[in-house]
Amino acid sequence: MTGRDAGNRAKALPKPKPKTRARILDAARELFNERGPGNVTTAEIAEAVGINEGNLYYHFQRKEQLLEGLFGEFAQALHAAATAYAASDDGPTRYRAYLTGWFQTMWEWRFFYRDGAMVFRLAPELKPRLKQVSDDGQGLTRRALEEMQRAGLLTIPADRLDPLVTNAWIVSTYWIDYLRSRRGIGEVTRAHVDWGARQVMNLFQPYLTPRGLAEAELGAAREDG
């Protein structure tokens, strides 16, 4: 067998199937995003995965454990969004992608934002973990803004930095609550989440340098295109 044949054979091999636990969590997240954790049964999750409930209970005996497992993945996703700018190249849309990344994460895990009260009723142990994740996230946001200043994209007075971090975090965290309570929007779509990202961008607008403005406009043009 030639090296090329071996390479073609390797490419043709099917990708390994995700482990059952990961598949359960993925299915639960999709169903919870669609209908909320209080409206989804473990039987429905098992059916979506293609397993019986006994197999599901082997991995997660209660819905509380499912939510705890999902929260661990959610916390990792938030950390990845908060540090993405440091891992990306130094292209012109680097920091814009960072800001919109928060809302991408919100969309992928929207049930935690939309159905927080229900989540904590089902899994009360998550409350202190959420506070820790929030504290860490605000610290990482502050660091990102400091990096943006060093990159010449923002000019923020020292006494405005912490309020800006707080306001950005409030808008990001409670945007879905605002849509539902103030706008009467029951079914949140991706367009609504993108709207929230633009609201956060507006918070930074007064502090953008000419370079920052140019790069923000370039990023917007690329997204529209």
Side-chain angles (χ1 to χ4, degrees):
M1 181 183 293
T2 66
R4 179 179 296 179
D5 291 337
N8 289 337
R9 183 178 178 184
K11 290 179 182 178
L13 290 175
K15 293 182 179 179
K17 195 173 184 179
K19 293 184 178 180
T20 301
R21 186 181 189 278
R23 290 164 54 213
I24 292 170
L25 289 174
D26 286 345
R29 177 166 64 91
E30 289 184 13
L31 290 170
F32 291 170
N33 277 338
E34 289 175 7
R35 291 158 44 206
N39 299 316
V40 176
T41 67
T42 53
E44 289 172 315
I45 297 170
E47 182 180 1
V49 178
I51 60 176
N52 58 50
E53 277 193 271
N55 198 346
L56 186 148
Y57 291 143
Y58 174 80
H59 297 277
F60 302 98
Q61 295 179 359
R62 302 183 307 279
K63 193 180 288 186
E64 176 183 0
Q65 293 175 333
L66 264 172
L67 287 167
E68 289 172 351
L70 286 169
F71 189 86
E73 294 188 351
F74 171 58
Q76 291 177 4
L78 283 178
H79 187 272
T83 56
Y85 72 91
S88 63
D89 59 26
D90 198 20
T93 61
R94 177 185 186 191
Y95 292 102
R96 183 182 178 87
Y98 160 74
L99 293 174
T100 56
W102 281 106
F103 283 83
Q104 173 66 26
T105 303
M106 177 188 289
W107 174 251
E108 293 173 352
W109 297 90
R110 55 194 177 278
F111 78 90
F112 273 123
Y113 297 90
R114 183 191 62 211
D115 307 306
M118 174 59 69
V119 168
F120 292 134
R121 278 200 294 273
L122 293 170
E125 293 299 317
L126 291 181
K127 276 191 175 182
R129 291 176 63 184
L130 177 63
K131 182 181 184 307
Q132 184 62 54
V133 167
S134 298
D135 290 345
D136 292 345
Q138 289 193 52
L140 291 170
T141 300
R142 192 182 201 282
R143 188 183 307 170
L145 292 180
E146 292 170 344
E147 289 288 338
M148 291 181 200
Q149 291 204 89
R150 282 192 281 272
L153 302 177
L154 292 170
T155 301
I156 306 174
D159 63 340
R160 297 303 306 156
L161 182 57
D162 285 334
L164 183 60
V165 170
T166 300
N167 290 339
W169 187 262
I170 289 171
V171 174
S172 300
T173 303
Y174 298 105
W175 178 246
I176 291 179
D177 281 344
Y178 166 77
L179 293 176
R180 298 175 73 183
S181 63
R182 299 292 297 163
R183 295 283 180 162
I185 296 172
E187 186 67 27
V188 176
T189 67
R190 179 58 190 268
H192 293 129
V193 174
D194 291 342
W195 177 16
R198 291 194 295 274
Q199 290 295 325
V200 173
M201 287 294 295
N202 287 336
L203 293 174
F204 295 100
Q205 190 80 15
Y207 306 105
L208 288 172
T209 64
R211 180 190 168 197
L213 282 168
E215 295 189 358
E217 290 171 1
L218 176 60
R222 290 187 176 182
E223 289 175 3
D224 294 339

